[in-house]
Amino acid sequence: MKLITDYVGEIEYEKNEVIHFPEGVFGFEDSKNFIIVGEIVKEFPFVWLQSIDEAHVVFVLTNPFLFVENYDFELAERDLKTLKTDKIGDINVYTTVVIPAESKKATINLKSPIVINTDKMIGLQAILDEDYPYKHPLFK
Amino acid sequence: MLILTRKAGESILIGDNLEIKVLEIYDGRIKIGIDAPRDVKVLRKEVLATIDENIEASRQQVSKEKLEKLLEE
């Protein structure tokens, strides 16, 4: 399938790459289906979470564990139910990246990680009980 | 701010059709039940901050080139 996006360009994807977000992402509840564009590697630790329902909705994500030591949380039972798993091994964790004009001040939202059950291709944005900041500096 | 003390099982009424009930208190947490009309938006306050972050994150048009540059700096 092909998708013309507003910012990431033209993307080709397979049906089995679509991640279903039953509740959408906070503030973007109409986008229930996303694909991950790219792959996180050490040299380039970013991917795009592109909505396939709304071409203009896209987020830059990273793997928080690459940037934050001891980032650790428990998912609420309700979230695990939505993700249809109780095995943490099935879950990939990402955080959204905000890059302001002064890009060195980029931040990641540690309070609300994007968690994806890669086995069943279900995702959600959690809001942690743990006391993590919404804006954590990406660079020290 | 109006401050009231409630025990588990007790309620507060706001207006004619909003009820907030303390269901359970355990381990430093309070479980709250809210009875409100469908058109009343009920949000955990943290959700608002996350919505703001998401809007900011989605507004930026971040290309691969820009991200690569960010890593070089």
Side-chain angles (χ1 to χ4, degrees):
Chain A
M1 277 163 283
K2 255 187 198 167
L3 178 75
I4 314 277
T5 66
D6 287 14
Y7 307 125
V8 189
E10 189 178 298
I11 301 170
E12 263 198 72
Y13 65 96
E14 302 294 329
K15 216 173 175 182
N16 62 10
E17 293 175 66
V18 176
I19 305 157
H20 182 57
F21 282 65
E23 296 159 8
V25 171
F26 290 111
F28 297 85
E29 282 77 7
D30 291 334
S31 274
K32 306 268 195 225
N33 299 288
F34 290 85
I35 45 173
I36 288 197
V37 181
E39 198 183 334
I40 291 196
V41 289
K42 218 174 172 189
E43 304 73 46
F44 188 79
F46 301 108
V47 290
W48 289 268
L49 183 69
Q50 169 67 52
S51 163
I52 58 169
D53 300 316
E54 299 175 290
H56 65 280
V57 176
V58 61
F59 304 96
V60 174
L61 303 183
T62 189
N63 175 347
F65 302 109
L66 295 176
F67 294 94
V68 185
E69 261 176 67
N70 308 322
Y71 183 46
D72 187 27
F73 57 83
E74 256 178 63
L75 284 175
E77 220 156 280
R78 184 179 160 273
D79 290 340
L80 289 171
K81 228 173 170 177
T82 304
L83 292 171
K84 294 192 179 152
T85 185
D86 48 14
K87 289 199 303 263
I88 227 71
D90 285 341
I91 295 174
N92 269 7
V93 178
Y94 299 94
T95 47
T96 52
V97 184
V98 168
I99 303 165
E102 199 182 331
S103 59
K104 273 283 125 189
K105 291 190 173 162
T107 59
I108 52 177
N109 183 353
L110 294 181
K111 181 73 174 176
S112 321
I114 304 267
V115 287
I116 294 169
N117 176 351
T118 48
D119 187 40
K120 296 206 167 71
M121 297 302 268
I122 303 170
L124 62 84
Q125 187 169 30
I127 295 193
L128 304 180
D129 283 336
E130 286 84 355
D131 201 12
Y132 282 112
Y134 297 94
K135 284 186 189 291
H136 177 85
L138 187 58
F139 304 106
K140 274 170 203 162
Chain B
M1 186 185 276
L2 171 68
I3 297 168
L4 301 166
T5 304
R6 304 274 70 192
K7 290 182 195 153
E10 292 181 339
S11 282
I12 295 166
L13 298 174
I14 301 171
D16 292 332
N17 41 24
L18 199 65
E19 179 173 357
I20 297 170
K21 190 170 184 178
V22 177
L23 299 175
E24 214 182 319
I25 304 170
Y26 60 94
D27 196 19
R29 288 157 193 247
I30 300 170
K31 201 182 243 180
I32 293 171
I34 299 161
D35 250 325
R38 281 202 158 267
D39 59 333
V40 174
K41 203 170 180 179
V42 179
L43 285 179
R44 288 188 286 168
K45 198 172 177 182
E46 307 95 279
V47 172
L48 277 186
T50 289
I51 289 175
D52 285 347
E53 282 306 299
N54 285 351
I55 288 174
E56 215 179 319
S58 75
R59 259 194 204 141
Q60 57 196 6
Q61 298 151 30
V62 181
S63 61
K64 185 157 193 206
E65 292 70 39
K66 196 168 163 189
L67 288 170
E68 275 166 349
K69 220 175 136 199
L70 179 68
L71 291 169
E72 280 165 20
E73 278 168 23

